Amino acid sequence: MINFDYFLPTRLLFGPGKLAQIGKITKEYGNKALIVTGRSSTKKTGLLDRTVSYLKTAGVESVIFDKVPSNPLTTTAEAGVKLAKEAGCNVVIALGGGSAMDAAKAIAFMAINEGDINDYIFGRKIGTTALPIIAVTTTAGTGSEGDKLAVLTNPENNDKKSLNSPLIYPKVSIIDAELMTTLPRHIIAPTGIDVFCHAAEAYVSNNSNPISEILALKAMELVYQNLPKVYENPEDIEAWSKMAFANTLGGMVIDASGVALAHGLEHPVSGLLDVTHGEGLAAILANWAEYSYESAEEKFANIAKILGEDVEGLSVHDAAKKSINGIKKLLKKLDLNKTLGDLGVKEEHIEWLSNNAVKTMTYAIGNNPRKPELDEIKMLYRKCL
C-alpha cells in the first residue's frame, strides 16, 4: 500500500529575470536584511550590488556578511549570527550557491535559538523558530533552495553534518537561470554532479516515496541532457533553466527521501580535507553504484536508461549493472575523472573517514538499499583511492 508524507512550504519563484522581485519579496518579511554570500563571486559578477539596489528601492536596508567559504563551518554561522544581532537584522537573504544557502539557514536559525549549534545538528536540542529566509541560488548544485537542510563542518573535530529543521525552509526561493551563466566550468561540473547524486541516491533510497521517485527521475533526465551542454557552453540559458529546475527538484527529493551512501562517504572527506563536495562525490559515484545496484536492480536499470545505456533485451540485473557504465561516461564528459587519491585521501585517512561516516552519516548509510558494515565502508574508500 502507498503510504508517505510530503511537505514543502517554500514558495518557488522560477524563471529568468526573477531576481528583480527580491526587494518586494523581502519587504514582506522584514525591513533590514543580512545578505549572506561568498567571498568574491557575487561581487565580481555585480550580483551583490544589484541585489542591494533592488532592496534599497523597496525600502529594505541591508548588511553584508561575505565570509562564507566553500565548505561553511559552524564558526562561519556563529560570526554571521553576531553580525545579524549587532545590526538588528530581521530577515536573512542567501545569495550564492549551496555554501551561502547553508550558512544563511544556520545563521537565521541560531539568531533565535541560543547555545551551541552542534547540539541542534546532533538532535540534542530542538529549535523554536528562525528568522525568515529568502534564498537566491546562483548555481545548479545543492538544491538547498528546496529543502530544510544546512550542511556545516565543525572545525574542532571535522564533523560535517546537516542541521535538519523545518524552521529553515526558505520562505521564498528565487531560481533565476540568468544568474548561472557566469559560472566557470570548474564549478559547473562538480555542482551539477551533486544534483545528479541527490536525485539518484534519493530515488534508490529506502525512504523513497511515489512523489520523490517521479521528481528524481525527472531531475536525472534533465541533468543528463543539459549538464554537458552548460559545461561546454555556460551561456546556454535554455539549458541552464533546465539544470536549475533539476537542481530544485534534487533539493526537494532529498528533503523528502534523504541522501544515501555516496553522500555518506563523501561528507567525511570534505569535512576532513576541505575538498570540493561535487568532486568528492564524482570520485565515489561509480563505486557506490557498483556496490548498491544489486539491492535495487529495477531502479538502477531505470538510471541506466536515463544515462543513455542500451538495455534493450537485457535482464533487469544486467540492465542495472549498465548504470555503472553510464555514470562513468557522464563523468568523462565533464572531465571529472579524479579518484579520492587525486583529491588528497591517503590510506592513513581511511580509519578516521570510516569511523566518522558511521558517527555523522548514520542516516545516509542506513538509507542506502544495501547497508554496509564498517569493514565494507573501509573497502569502499580503498576502491575509490
Side-chain angles (χ1 to χ4, degrees), residues 277-330:
H277 175 54
E279 290 187 351
L281 287 171
I284 290 167
L285 189 54
N287 284 308
W288 163 73
E290 185 176 6
Y291 176 81
S292 304
Y293 81 91
E294 289 183 322
S295 297
E297 289 185 341
E298 187 173 337
K299 288 186 174 181
F300 274 97
N302 288 336
I303 292 173
K305 291 178 192 175
I306 286 170
L307 292 174
E309 292 297 299
D310 183 5
V311 298
E312 188 70 31
L314 296 181
S315 67
V316 174
H317 174 84
D318 289 343
K321 191 173 183 179
K322 295 272 274 187
S323 64
I324 304 165
N325 293 332
I327 287 168
K328 289 178 178 178
K329 290 176 185 176
L330 178 59

Side-chain angles (χ1 to χ4, degrees), residues 12-180:
L12 302 175
L13 199 61
F14 192 101
K18 291 293 174 66
L19 178 68
Q21 298 184 34
I22 192 168
K24 177 185 175 184
I25 292 293
T26 305
K27 185 71 172 176
E28 297 176 14
Y29 297 96
N31 57 13
K32 192 164 189 180
L34 181 74
I35 302 175
V36 179
T37 192
R39 294 167 175 166
S40 62
S41 63
T42 59
K43 298 174 189 173
K44 290 178 181 177
T45 61
L47 174 58
L48 181 58
D49 286 343
R50 287 170 60 198
T51 301
V52 170
S53 177
Y54 287 137
L55 292 170
K56 186 176 181 180
T57 299
V60 179
E61 294 181 60
S62 59
V63 177
I64 297 167
F65 179 72
D66 57 358
K67 310 296 183 186
V68 181
S70 59
N71 285 305
L73 307 174
T74 53
T75 50
T76 307
E78 290 165 3
V81 168
K82 185 173 185 290
L83 178 59
K85 288 182 174 179
E86 289 174 351
C89 297
N90 53 17
V91 60
V92 176
I93 295 174
L95 188 68
S99 300
M101 287 190 282
D102 286 345
K105 288 177 175 180
I107 291 166
F109 182 88
M110 293 307 298
I112 304 295
N113 301 287
E114 300 291 338
D116 185 344
I117 192 170
N118 294 290
D119 287 334
Y120 298 95
I121 289 173
F122 280 90
R124 295 186 289 265
K125 287 185 177 180
I126 304 297
T128 57
T129 188
L131 294 178
I133 302 160
I134 311 298
V136 182
T137 179
T138 61
T139 67
T142 66
S144 193
E145 71 276 10
D147 67 37
K148 61 181 185 301
L149 306 169
V151 183
L152 301 169
T153 299
N154 182 347
E156 293 182 2
N157 56 15
N158 301 118
D159 286 351
K160 183 177 180 181
K161 188 171 172 63
S162 295
L163 173 67
N164 185 336
S165 171
L167 302 173
I168 58 174
Y169 279 113
K171 298 296 184 184
V172 181
S173 289
I174 296 174
I175 306 108
D176 183 341
E178 288 182 352
L179 308 182
M180 301 173 187

Side-chain angles (χ1 to χ4, degrees), residues 243-301:
M243 270 304 299
F245 185 37
N247 183 44
T248 301
L249 292 177
M252 293 166 66
V253 298
I254 62 169
D255 189 68
S257 299
V259 292
L261 183 57
H263 269 73
L265 295 176
E266 197 292 319
H267 274 209
V269 173
S270 49
L272 180 66
L273 300 174
D274 198 31
V275 306
T276 300
H277 175 54
E279 290 187 351
L281 287 171
I284 290 167
L285 189 54
N287 284 308
W288 163 73
E290 185 176 6
Y291 176 81
S292 304
Y293 81 91
E294 289 183 322
S295 297
E297 289 185 341
E298 187 173 337
K299 288 186 174 181
F300 274 97

